[in-house]
Amino acid sequence: MERTPGPAPRIPIGSMLAAFAAAGFVALAGCGASGPDPAEYRVTANAICRAGQRTLTRLSEQVVTAQRGGDPAVVFREVAALKARQAAARRKVADRLDLLPTPGAELERVRAWIAEQRRQSTLVEALSRAFARRDETRIATLSQRIGALDADNDAAATRLGLEACAG
């Protein structure tokens, strides 16, 4: 069959864009379906948690030392500052974990666990403010909530194979 001279057939731009977009989505879906190797994820996440745990342990030791002080005003002020630093350290760990590519099969469980880590950071920030206000009732309430959430988060971390992330 002989082609007659003339302009090439035109494909509407919308159809071309839709085809490119569909190809991109298919490529992305194929690449992200399984995600990174779960064992590699655990090694990296545990390393992040170990570094965070060292910081939190040091801060907890400083809290204990501060609580031995004789002047209540100084004790409350120092503990408030240390709790604020603990909250920031917890948030930093959660932020670093959030940046890791997560294995697809565990994505939702890991996201939920990281969200609980952020919730715990928020509670520790509130505890810091309660110490700054010398609100002993709020301190007791928040301490209980943080303790319970800490136990839940540790159990979830263990189930995910993130032993270094469990307290």
Side-chain angles (χ1 to χ4, degrees):
M1 181 186 256
E2 196 172 303
R3 191 173 178 304
T4 58
R10 299 190 101 161
I11 300 173
I13 294 285
S15 296
M16 282 181 22
L17 290 176
F20 285 133
F25 286 130
V26 168
L28 286 174
C31 291
S34 62
D37 177 52
E40 289 175 20
Y41 174 82
R42 285 184 185 88
V43 167
T44 305
N46 276 315
I48 290 169
C49 288
R50 265 190 295 285
Q53 287 294 345
R54 282 191 297 272
T55 300
L56 290 170
T57 298
R58 188 177 65 254
L59 290 168
S60 292
E61 290 167 355
Q62 292 173 358
V63 166
V64 169
T65 300
Q67 289 174 330
R68 291 186 188 133
D71 182 356
V74 173
V75 170
F76 278 100
R77 186 177 61 246
E78 287 180 1
V79 172
L82 290 166
K83 290 295 179 182
R85 289 175 57 197
Q86 283 180 332
R90 287 176 178 278
R91 200 171 31 259
K92 182 178 178 181
V93 169
D95 290 346
R96 291 187 67 205
L97 290 168
D98 213 15
L99 292 174
L100 287 180
T102 307
E106 298 177 0
L107 183 63
E108 291 309 313
R109 289 184 340 155
V110 169
R111 282 185 180 165
W113 173 70
I114 292 172
E116 289 301 301
Q117 297 295 315
R118 291 186 195 289
R119 182 169 160 239
Q120 191 166 12
S121 295
T122 300
L123 290 174
V124 174
E125 287 170 349
L127 182 60
S128 170
R129 291 189 300 274
F131 269 99
R133 289 190 310 269
R134 298 175 70 168
D135 184 345
E136 293 180 33
T137 302
R138 185 85 172 129
I139 290 168
T141 301
L142 286 166
S143 294
Q144 281 185 321
R145 289 178 62 195
I146 290 166
L149 186 56
D150 204 23
D152 291 345
N153 285 341
D154 287 352
T158 300
R159 284 190 303 273
L160 290 167
L162 304 174
E163 291 80 14
C165 300

